[in-house]
């Protein structure tokens, strides 16, 4: 692979330090953002083309127009209308500042050179929807900008102050992201807690109080949570009493009605105002951070609707969580706040560094785990993560956690509802059940991924995807009807996890803590292992039924057209399985303490087994099996428990679950959804070991038409316009001549169209017969010839090239580490073809015996 020397149009890249590994990018042949009133076309199966032109010819202002409100976009399989005309505007016009202005003009005898590009053209250097960014160009622009600011800072005090403010702007942006993300998370937590309890009753002391806060206001002593005098169930409010079959049926009915109302409102808001607000958001965030552009996905309408509908979806009782969508919410905050700072507004690569930090802040407020959030961003969603971004991510996560702690949404001075502390040590022999929980988590993760992907694929390929509202209503009705009779499914999933993590104390009144007490053997606050009472056995049966329900209902819930996270449902499945196993081991140790496996460390009257710890390990195992997280998962769970003592059990379970799940299928749930949706994400964790060469992947193939090229100084405006209108490629190689095929550079279709349109309007003498020149010195023309249009400034004079004999494993590595859009293939200096990222993805899929046409986007 070599980098061709640069000309005068752009700075020489070899003189700059080498770039760190950048996120992968999609091939440049992505579908073009449609104009007003047209449906967005799907572009699948193309190797070379990118920005598809839906109509022939040029339209004035076609690249400045906003996306239509009537556009159709397929998200996870269902086409729905969306309005995002101003949701996430393209980068500012100054984006073209990275290009040097050039002298365009005609060379007709004694005529002077005409300069119609004294200022950067609006739109040149920007990107269309569903297209990739040029990481190399963006980083080069940022270096040029920084170099210019540094040089100017030596000239005046004002320039020095500007340099200082520019350096400080990144930290100020992180502060604002943390404050906004923490505030929204607190609002979501408080609202969801209140609306969840609203399904069961209302507080007479103030309807805005949830059940727990209402009972805190009570001056009356009561022994049971349900006997709080200030809290009235719907049957008590309507009938005047809460006992009897009719009261139970009325409460049942109100529970289902509220759940249906919440979910219906959520799906209608998503469908009507912001379809991008559905789902988890993490697969799309990963794709965006790899360099892909999805206009509106991180816009203000998406933020508003996702915040509102996330509360509604969680409150409806569906088997979903808010933790994944909180990452999306935080990234929306980061993207919107980027527009306040010039260097982030104008540079897509810099903006993605901010989004990586915002993702860390999202996990920080979701779990109350700032360090875990930073590691999650590093391990799971980010690809390009320099040291500077690491520190800023930590700062954003810290500010977000501090803001949420100041709001105190749960009233217990904790950032999450299921924070727990364990004090009893674990024994080495307990690693056996911990590893068993890891095996269960891996099996559950692999089963869930395959089942959910199969269901989502069916949703995409059948009529089911055309009725998202009906699907949400049906799943909500089934969930609510099955959930109400069981108290462990009726409560919110976060409350369920908190109940399962709890270590039983003397004052606990939960069924899980109804043991046969022997107060003579009680020492302080520690209770010895005791025989299970009737309440524990009842709870075990209810938890077993809850486990079966959660396992299957989550498969159909994740991926619906409402905000839906997967962290909490996965943790709930593992916590239930862990609590069941923990109680079983506890009772086994109590009744058979003389067995060899217990006799050495679990004597009668001792507190040996902590079932809550088993629930926590099981939750980590199942979450790891689904997402394939390891380090960040252990740190998140460690921050949840507040103790270092249980890191080894968590590590054992997380690694076991990952090994088991990877043995069945290599992809985690987010990578599987990326592949299902056809996003152009080049996974860096996978190794390419096939012995193919660049000539086997490049286009054109032997049976294809010749490669479309533009000559450097012999083609007219009409010739170039004909090429652009008759093809759908995102860019064109520029060669010396058609006979020599010696490569000069590469020009993007978008820049070419914009430049020609502006030249026709601003430069006199530019007509269809004008020669387009991509060199510094154009050939002399007769005096009667029209003006020459010089477009050297938009030409990339240093495209990446490889030879036709380059092994594909090297080509794939180049695409992964540099995030290339395309790579030109040469032989002895002559242009042979081109390899785009889509070609690479299709080749990888073909080598893995997968459908290469599954790569839908470019």
């Amino acid at each position: 692979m070599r980098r061709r020397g640069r000309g005068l149009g752009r700075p020489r890249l070899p003189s700059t330090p080498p770039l760190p590994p950048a996120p992968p990018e999609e091939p440049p042949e992505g579908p073009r953002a449609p104009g007003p009133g047209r449906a967005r076309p799907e572009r699948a199966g193309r190797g070379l083309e990118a920005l598809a032109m839906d109509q022939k010819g040029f339209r004035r202002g076609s690249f400045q127009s906003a996306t239509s409100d009537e556009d159709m976009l397929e998200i996870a399989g269902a086409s729905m209308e969306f309005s995002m005309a101003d949701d996430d505007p393209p980068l500012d016009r100054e984006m073209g500042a990275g290009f040097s202005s050039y002298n365009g003009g005609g060379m007709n005898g004694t005529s002077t050179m005409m300069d119609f590009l004294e200022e950067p053209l609006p739109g040149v250097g920007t990107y269309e929807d569903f297209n990739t960014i040029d990481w190399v160009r963006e980083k080069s622009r940022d270096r040029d900008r920084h170099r210019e600011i540094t040089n100017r800072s030596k000239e005046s005090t004002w320039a020095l102050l500007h340099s200082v403010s520019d350096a400080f702007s990144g930290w100020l942006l992180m502060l604002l992201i943390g404050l906004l993300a923490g505030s929204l998370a607190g609002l979501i937590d408080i609202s969801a807690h209140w609306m969840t309890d609203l399904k069961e009753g209302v507080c007479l002391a103030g309807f805005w109080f949830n059940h727990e806060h209402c009972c805190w206001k009570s001056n009356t002593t009561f022994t049971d949570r349900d006997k709080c005098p200030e809290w009235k169930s719907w049957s008590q409010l309507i009938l005047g009493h809460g006992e009897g079959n009719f009261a139970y049926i009325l409460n049942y009915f109100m529970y289902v009605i509220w759940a249906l109302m919440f979910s219906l409102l959520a799906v209608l808001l998503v469908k009507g105002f912001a379809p991008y607000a559905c789902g988890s958001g993490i697969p799309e965030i990963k794709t965006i951070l790899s360099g892909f552009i999805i206009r509106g996905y991180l816009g203000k309408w998406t933020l508003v609707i996702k915040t509102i509908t996330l509360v509604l979806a969680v409150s409806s009782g569906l088997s979903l969580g808010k933790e994944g969508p909180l990452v999306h919410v935080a990234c929306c905050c980061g993207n919107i706040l980027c527009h306040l700072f010039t260097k982030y507004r104008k540079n897509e690569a810099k903006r993605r560094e901010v989004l990586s930090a915002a993702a860390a802040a999202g996990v920080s407020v979701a779990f109350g785990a700032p360090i875990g959030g930073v590691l999650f961003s590093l391990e799971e969603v980010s690809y390009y993560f320099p040291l500077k971004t690491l520190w800023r991510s930590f700062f954003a996560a810290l500010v977000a956690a501090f803001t949420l702690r100041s709001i105190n949404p749960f009233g217990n001075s904790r950032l999450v509802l299921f924070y727990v502390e364990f004090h009893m040590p674990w024994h080495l022999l307990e690693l056996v059940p911990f590893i068993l929980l890891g095996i269960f988590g891996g099996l559950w993760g692999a089963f869930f991924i395959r089942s959910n992907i199969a269901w989502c694929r069916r949703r995409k390929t059948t009529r089911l995807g055309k009725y998202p509202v009906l699907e949400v209503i049906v799943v909500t009705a089934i969930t609510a009807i099955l959930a109400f009779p069981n108290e462990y499914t009726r409560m919110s999933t976060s409350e369920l996890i908190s109940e399962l993590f709890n270590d039983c104390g003397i004052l606990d009144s939960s069924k899980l803590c109804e043991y046969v007490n022997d107060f003579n053997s009680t020492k302080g606050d520690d209770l010895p292992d005791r025989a299970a009472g009737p309440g524990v056995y009842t709870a075990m049966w209810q938890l077993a039924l809850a486990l079966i329900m959660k396992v299957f209902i989550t498969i159909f819930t994740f991926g619906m057209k409402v905000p839906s996270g997967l962290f909490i449902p996965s943790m709930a499945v593992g916590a239930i399985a862990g609590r069941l196993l923990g109680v079983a081991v506890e009772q086994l140790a109590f009744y058979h303490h003389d067995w060899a496996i217990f006799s050495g460390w679990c004597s009668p009257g001792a507190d040996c087994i902590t079932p809550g710890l088993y629930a926590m390990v099981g939750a980590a195992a199942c979450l790891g099996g689904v997402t394939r997280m390891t380090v960040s998962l252990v740190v998140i769970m460690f921050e949840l428990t507040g103790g270092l003592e249980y890191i080894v059990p968590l590590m054992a379970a997380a690694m076991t679950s990952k090994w088991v799940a990877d043995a069945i299928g290599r992809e985690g749930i987010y990578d599987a959804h990326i592949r299902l949706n056809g996003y152009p994400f080049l996974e860096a964790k996978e190794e390419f070991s096939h012995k193919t060469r660049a000539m086997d992947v490049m286009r054109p193939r032997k049976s294809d038409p010749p490669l479309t090229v533009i000559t450097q100084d012999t083609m007219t405006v009409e010739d170039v316009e004909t090429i652009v209108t008759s093809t759908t490629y995102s860019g064109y190689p520029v060669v010396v001549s058609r006979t020599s095929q010696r490569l000069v550079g590469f020009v993007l279709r978008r820049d070419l169209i914009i430049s020609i349109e502006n030249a026709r309007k601003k430069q006199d003498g530019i007509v269809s017969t004008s020669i387009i020149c991509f060199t510094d010195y154009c050939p002399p023309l007769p005096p009667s010839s029209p003006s020459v249009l010089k477009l050297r400034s938009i030409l990339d004079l240093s495209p990446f090239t490889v030879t036709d004999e380059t092994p594909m494993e090297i080509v794939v590595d180049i695409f992964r580490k540099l995030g290339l859009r395309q790579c030109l293939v040469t032989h002895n200096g002559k242009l042979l073809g081109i390899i785009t990222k889509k070609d690479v993805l299709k080749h990888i899929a073909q080598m893995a015996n997968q459908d290469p046409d599954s790569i839908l986007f470019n």
Side-chain angles (χ1 to χ4, degrees):
M1 186 276 294
R2 63 191 181 91
R3 189 76 164 145
R4 296 176 59 90
R6 284 186 177 272
L8 299 178
R10 295 175 60 184
R12 292 183 60 86
L13 198 67
S15 63
T16 62
L19 286 175
E25 306 168 37
E26 94 291 4
E29 67 274 15
R32 188 176 71 82
R38 294 181 308 176
R40 187 182 304 278
E42 289 187 11
R43 302 292 179 190
R46 298 189 186 170
L48 194 58
E49 65 263 22
L51 303 172
M53 298 287 285
D54 297 317
Q55 60 185 21
K56 304 299 181 183
F58 303 117
R59 291 185 297 110
R60 286 195 175 186
S62 60
F63 289 92
Q64 287 79 31
S65 60
T67 306
S68 169
D69 286 351
E70 304 300 325
D71 286 347
M72 304 292 291
L73 178 66
E74 179 175 290
I75 306 174
S79 296
M80 296 188 293
E81 298 179 0
F82 69 102
S83 173
M84 63 173 207
D86 58 351
D87 218 5
D88 188 11
L91 296 180
D92 284 8
R93 296 185 174 187
E94 294 87 357
M95 192 69 180
F99 291 101
S100 305
S101 61
Y102 71 95
N103 295 321
M107 298 185 66
N108 46 1
T110 61
S111 63
T112 59
M113 301 293 291
M114 304 180 67
D115 187 0
F116 76 96
L117 283 184
E118 293 178 355
E119 296 181 358
L121 285 178
V124 170
T126 61
Y127 306 96
E128 289 189 295
D129 197 9
F130 291 97
N131 202 351
T132 186
I133 71 171
D134 189 333
W135 284 90
V136 175
R137 182 171 67 176
E138 296 298 302
K139 297 300 294 183
S140 177
R141 283 177 176 176
D142 185 62
R143 284 193 298 270
D144 293 341
R145 181 197 62 82
H146 187 267
R147 190 181 300 113
E148 182 180 0
I149 290 176
T150 303
N151 292 336
R152 287 183 178 179
S153 65
K154 303 174 184 177
E155 300 174 359
S156 66
T157 304
W158 176 254
L160 179 62
L161 292 176
H162 179 260
S163 175
V164 173
S165 66
D166 180 79
F168 181 71
S169 61
W171 295 100
L172 178 59
L173 179 57
M174 294 302 108
L175 176 66
L176 296 177
I177 291 173
L179 291 173
L180 184 55
S183 301
L184 289 177
L187 176 64
I188 291 171
D189 286 337
I190 294 172
S191 303
H193 201 177
W194 171 67
M195 293 178 67
T196 299
D197 289 344
L198 190 62
K199 293 184 298 182
E200 300 184 37
V202 69
C203 181
L204 299 182
F207 72 92
W208 56 87
F209 290 121
N210 59 43
H211 195 163
E212 188 173 6
H213 290 174
C214 180
C215 295
W216 285 352
K217 302 290 182 182
S218 176
N219 295 322
T220 308
T221 302
F222 53 92
T223 57
D224 191 355
R225 178 177 183 268
D226 295 329
K227 301 295 173 51
C228 172
E230 276 75 16
W231 181 265
K232 298 295 182 182
S233 65
W234 291 110
S235 62
Q236 291 174 324
L237 206 61
I238 298 174
L239 302 177
H241 63 86
E243 305 295 333
N245 294 334
F246 188 67
Y248 179 83
I249 294 175
L250 180 60
N251 288 332
Y252 202 151
F253 176 76
M254 292 299 296
Y255 181 91
V256 176
I257 290 299
W258 278 111
L260 291 174
M261 287 177 56
F262 291 155
S263 62
L264 177 62
L265 183 57
V267 70
L268 289 178
L269 287 174
V270 168
K271 182 183 179 185
F273 295 96
Y276 282 143
C278 72
S280 167
I282 293 181
E284 288 77 13
I285 296 296
K286 289 186 67 172
T287 308
I288 290 172
L289 290 180
S290 74
F292 197 52
I293 289 180
I294 308 179
R295 297 286 181 205
Y297 196 83
L298 302 176
K300 56 183 179 296
W301 270 111
T302 304
L303 174 63
V304 172
I305 298 301
K306 185 122 190 178
T307 302
I308 297 173
T309 54
L310 179 56
V311 174
L312 293 169
V314 172
S315 303
S316 67
L318 288 167
S319 183
L320 48 82
K322 62 180 182 297
E323 281 66 22
L326 277 176
V327 176
H328 188 185
V329 168
C331 287
C332 288
C333 296
N335 183 68
I336 293 171
L337 291 173
C338 275
H339 291 278
L340 301 177
F341 300 88
T342 304
K343 71 176 181 180
Y344 296 107
R345 182 177 70 247
K346 295 179 180 179
N347 195 293
E348 290 283 1
K350 296 290 291 182
R351 187 183 302 188
R352 274 150 182 78
E353 295 180 18
V354 174
L355 295 181
S356 294
V363 176
S364 174
V365 295
F367 290 102
I371 302 176
V374 175
L375 291 177
F376 173 83
S377 179
L378 174 62
E379 178 184 2
E380 189 64 24
V381 298
S382 298
Y383 200 108
Y384 179 53
F385 204 83
L387 184 61
K388 175 177 59 177
T389 303
L390 177 68
W391 285 112
R392 290 181 176 177
S393 299
F394 182 77
F395 179 66
L398 176 66
V399 174
F402 175 78
T403 304
L404 185 61
R405 172 64 179 80
S406 302
I407 296 174
N408 194 16
F410 302 109
N412 58 0
S413 300
R414 302 297 184 187
L415 301 183
V416 290
L417 189 60
F418 43 84
Y419 182 89
V420 66
E421 289 184 355
F422 301 122
H423 303 288
M424 295 305 299
W426 58 278
H427 194 270
L428 184 62
L429 290 176
E430 288 185 280
L431 278 178
V432 175
F434 293 154
I435 291 176
L436 289 177
L437 287 173
I439 295 174
F440 171 80
L443 294 174
W444 145 252
F447 167 74
F448 173 81
I449 292 171
R450 290 198 174 187
S451 303
N452 180 255
I453 293 299
W455 176 252
C456 290
R457 183 176 289 111
R458 182 175 180 83
R459 182 190 290 128
K460 286 172 66 73
T461 57
T462 63
R463 294 175 60 87
L464 179 65
K466 298 180 180 180
Y467 306 100
V469 178
L470 180 61
E471 180 188 12
V472 170
I473 292 299
V474 170
V475 174
T476 304
I478 294 174
T479 303
I481 292 172
L482 295 178
F484 186 83
N486 189 338
E487 63 177 292
Y488 292 109
T489 52
R490 187 191 315 164
M491 66 176 65
S492 71
T493 312
S494 295
E495 289 179 336
L496 171 62
I497 294 174
S498 177
E499 184 94 355
L500 295 170
F501 281 8
N502 183 43
D503 187 15
C504 291
I506 298 176
L507 300 179
D508 284 320
S509 58
S510 169
K511 282 184 180 179
L512 289 170
C513 297
E514 288 188 14
Y515 288 89
V516 178
N517 290 314
D518 182 8
F519 293 104
N520 294 327
S521 60
T522 301
K523 298 178 182 179
D525 294 332
D526 295 331
L527 294 176
D529 290 342
R530 299 156 291 165
V536 174
Y537 288 113
T538 303
M540 292 299 101
W541 280 109
Q542 290 178 326
L543 286 176
L545 294 175
L547 177 63
I548 296 174
M549 175 189 166
K550 290 285 185 183
V551 164
F552 290 100
I553 204 69
T554 307
I555 293 173
F556 302 98
T557 304
F558 187 70
M560 292 196 307
K561 301 309 171 199
V562 292
S564 54
L566 192 59
F567 283 23
I568 290 298
S570 300
M571 290 178 65
V573 169
I576 294 174
R579 188 77 186 204
L580 292 173
L581 181 60
V583 172
V585 173
E586 179 190 45
Q587 294 304 300
L588 194 64
F590 176 78
Y591 286 108
H592 303 281
H593 54 80
D594 55 340
W595 284 8
I597 57 175
F598 299 118
S599 60
W601 59 281
C602 190
S603 59
D607 185 10
C608 307
I609 308 298
T610 306
L613 174 60
Y614 285 70
M616 186 186 71
V617 172
C622 283
L623 183 56
V626 172
T627 63
R628 311 300 164 84
M629 296 160 53
T630 51
V631 179
S632 57
L633 172 63
V634 172
V635 174
I636 288 173
M637 299 304 295
F638 147 65
E639 291 186 86
L640 282 178
T641 57
L644 287 167
E645 193 169 355
Y646 305 104
I647 283 187
V648 173
L650 291 172
M651 292 176 64
M655 288 305 303
T656 304
S657 67
K658 178 174 174 56
W659 286 335
V660 172
D662 282 346
I664 301 175
R666 297 287 298 177
E667 290 181 324
I669 184 64
Y670 301 127
D671 293 332
H673 273 272
I674 287 174
R675 186 165 58 86
L676 175 69
N677 293 329
Y679 295 138
F681 182 78
L682 190 57
E683 179 58 64
K685 301 172 186 176
E686 300 292 333
E687 293 291 335
F688 184 86
S689 57
H690 302 282
K691 294 183 178 181
T692 52
R693 295 170 297 173
M695 67 169 61
D696 302 323
V697 182
M698 73 174 190
R699 292 178 182 272
R701 306 284 175 82
K702 292 182 179 180
S703 58
D704 294 340
L707 183 66
T708 302
V709 297
I710 296 177
T711 57
Q712 65 177 2
D713 55 12
T714 60
M715 298 184 70
T716 64
V717 171
E718 183 179 13
D719 295 334
V720 173
E721 287 180 338
T722 301
I723 289 177
V724 170
T725 54
S726 61
T727 61
T728 55
Y729 307 143
S730 69
Y732 305 93
V734 177
V735 296
V736 174
S737 66
R738 293 185 182 276
T739 55
S740 71
Q741 291 291 307
R742 296 287 180 179
L743 183 63
V744 175
F746 191 85
V747 62
L748 294 178
R749 174 200 193 96
R750 177 183 176 88
D751 294 349
L752 199 58
I753 294 175
I754 294 174
S755 299
I756 292 176
E757 286 182 347
N758 279 270
R760 285 184 179 274
K761 288 186 280 188
K762 296 182 179 181
Q763 184 179 354
D764 295 333
I766 297 299
V767 294
S768 297
T769 56
S770 297
I771 296 294
I772 293 181
C773 183
F774 290 97
T775 60
D776 284 329
Y777 305 100
C778 298
L781 298 175
S784 59
S785 300
S787 300
V788 174
L789 176 58
K790 298 195 67 177
L791 297 181
R792 181 181 177 83
S793 68
I794 66 170
L795 179 66
D796 181 3
L797 293 165
S798 54
F800 279 91
T801 61
V802 296
T803 67
D804 53 341
E805 295 292 335
T806 304
M808 273 306 296
E809 58 183 341
I810 296 179
V811 175
V812 171
D813 208 35
I814 292 173
F815 271 88
R816 282 174 175 163
K817 293 183 177 180
L818 294 178
L820 297 185
R821 308 176 76 184
Q822 69 278 322
C823 183
L824 300 176
V825 182
T826 61
H827 177 76
N828 292 334
K830 292 186 177 182
L831 179 66
L832 289 184
I834 186 171
I835 298 176
T836 66
K837 186 177 180 183
K838 188 172 182 178
D839 296 328
V840 173
L841 289 167
K842 283 189 171 186
H843 183 66
I844 292 175
Q846 190 174 9
M847 292 294 100
N849 295 322
Q850 297 172 354
D851 181 15
D853 292 330
S854 63
I855 312 299
L856 300 179
F857 295 101
N858 302 284

